[in-house]
Amino acid sequence: TETFTHDGTAEEIAAETVTVASSSGATDLVGLADVGDTSPSFAVDTQAPTATVTVSESSINQGNLTQTVTVTYDESMDNGTSPTIGFDNSVNFTSNLDGAWSTTTFTDDTWTETFTH
């Protein structure tokens, strides 16, 4: 058994494998060279998800005080968590507490939440 540690470089690989080539240098007690093998595949995901934010309204006014914020990620997300959404210039928006995950491209990749001014 040998342990390898990933260097933390941001990357996403769906099916990585480990290979030992035939005649890799290991021999048995009588000197016969090993026959190689390849491991089952495993995922490597050290890349942080990227969010894209959209809003439903370009203008909030007395006749329309609701803003729906949609955050779409470039990969599946843990639906036991949620993004923290803030408004840069106004403290007068309140969440309607209706935030929910849905699926656009990947499972649970889109968070939608409505706010009222």
Side-chain angles (χ1 to χ4, degrees):
T1 301
E2 189 169 350
T3 302
F4 294 87
T5 302
H6 191 277
D7 67 5
T9 301
E11 64 182 349
E12 208 165 328
I13 302 169
E16 180 64 275
T17 57
V18 176
T19 302
V20 173
S22 290
S23 301
S24 68
T27 60
D28 64 12
L29 294 176
V30 295
L32 298 172
D34 63 332
V35 176
D37 193 20
T38 300
S39 73
S41 64
F42 58 93
V44 176
D45 185 357
T46 57
Q47 185 169 338
T50 300
T52 301
V53 180
T54 59
V55 293
S56 61
E57 305 297 328
S58 61
S59 177
I60 300 295
N61 54 54
Q62 195 58 35
N64 180 16
L65 298 175
T66 302
Q67 182 67 275
T68 300
V69 178
T70 302
V71 184
T72 304
Y73 291 93
D74 62 349
E75 63 181 280
S76 295
M77 301 298 289
D78 177 352
N79 67 10
T81 64
S82 62
T84 300
I85 298 173
F87 290 79
D88 291 338
N89 297 306
S90 177
V91 295
N92 297 315
F93 282 94
T94 303
S95 173
N96 293 353
L97 303 176
D98 61 351
W101 288 105
S102 62
T103 298
T104 300
T105 303
F106 306 99
T107 303
D108 294 329
D109 65 344
T110 302
W111 176 263
T112 304
E113 187 171 352
T114 306
F115 295 83
T116 301
H117 188 273

